[in-house]
Amino acid sequence: MGIQLSKGQRIDLTKTNPGLVKGLIGLGWDTNKYQGGSDFDLDASAFLVDVNNRCQDDLDFIFYNNLEHPSKSVIHTGDNRTGEGDGDDEQLIVDFSKIPAHVDKIGITVTIHDAESRHQNFGQVSNAFVRLADESTGEELLRFDLGEDFSIETAVVVCELYRHGNEWKFNAIGSGFSGGLASLCRNYGLEV
């Protein structure tokens, strides 16, 4: 079991784990039962941003329609449309050795697909977590449970990986947005 983080906590990744080249970021959640009739389709995404917190290119946005960064530094392992089962619902693999020099930070987010038309929000989601494991050994290095402090939000910035000198650190964010994926894209400088 890795280190359990609280919201706002920052921790060294590559310095305290010198052998870490590829990190597996697992995201998971459960949905509360409600009478909406639609499946909950939560989507993990990664935004590779520069020092101004902006994606320089549309390809710096990794999501279900763009599963792999051109540098191969971030790879999304595929869309899970229901969130059924235990463990990770979606995964991203980050190769720290391949992250382009212009990328200062990687924002990891989760959004609810078609939240507005399905009348869904993060108030109906429980047990949401992010964990980071060493991809080569499977060892879980850290975990952040998001807690239940969301209500009407349809998007969440779960965590950020950020450059600190030559090392990478992890920041447990857990902040919600209304307006779903579109508002997140605007936040990271992408046109919707």
Side-chain angles (χ1 to χ4, degrees):
M1 188 74 175
I3 298 168
Q4 185 78 39
L5 297 182
S6 318
K7 185 171 176 164
Q9 209 173 346
R10 296 167 185 255
I11 189 168
D12 278 318
L13 276 180
T14 51
K15 195 185 213 171
T16 47
N17 304 290
L20 182 66
V21 178
K22 283 187 181 179
L24 173 107
I25 297 173
L27 297 126
W29 49 80
D30 294 322
T31 51
N32 301 336
K33 297 287 175 246
Y34 77 114
Q35 300 306 309
S38 299
D39 278 336
F40 259 83
D41 179 7
L42 273 68
D43 296 312
S45 304
F47 293 87
L48 286 72
V49 297
D50 60 20
V51 290
N52 300 314
N53 206 40
R54 295 280 176 255
C55 290
Q56 290 188 355
D57 189 291
D58 287 352
L59 295 175
D60 288 340
F61 169 38
I62 307 304
F63 70 117
Y64 56 84
N65 279 336
N66 177 33
L67 293 174
E68 195 169 291
H69 192 266
S71 66
K72 309 263 190 265
S73 60
V74 179
I75 296 170
H76 191 307
T77 62
D79 190 13
N80 172 339
R81 293 171 185 262
T82 63
E84 291 295 313
D86 293 332
D88 300 340
D89 290 310
E90 292 196 4
Q91 294 180 332
L92 297 157
I93 295 169
V94 177
D95 186 333
F96 293 102
S97 71
K98 294 182 178 172
I99 297 172
H102 76 270
V103 175
D104 187 60
K105 188 166 65 181
I106 300 172
I108 306 293
T109 66
V110 177
T111 53
I112 303 173
H113 187 66
D114 287 342
E116 208 166 287
S117 64
R118 294 178 181 183
H119 306 292
Q120 296 172 344
N121 59 55
F122 273 96
Q124 297 159 318
V125 174
S126 56
N127 304 322
F129 69 86
V130 59
R131 65 187 195 92
L132 192 139
D134 185 329
E135 204 254 353
S136 64
T137 64
E139 181 195 356
E140 185 173 297
L141 303 176
L142 58 89
R143 183 182 183 96
F144 168 42
D145 292 308
L146 271 72
E148 312 292 312
D149 52 352
F150 301 107
S151 55
I152 59 166
E153 295 88 349
T154 53
V156 175
V157 177
V158 179
C159 63
E160 289 173 344
L161 309 176
Y162 65 99
R163 213 183 275 274
H164 184 77
N166 294 325
E167 303 293 345
W168 283 89
K169 294 188 167 198
F170 180 99
N171 185 4
I173 305 244
S175 66
F177 277 72
S178 296
L181 192 56
S183 69
L184 276 181
C185 286
R186 283 190 290 274
N187 178 60
Y188 288 115
L190 292 171
E191 308 232 343
V192 182

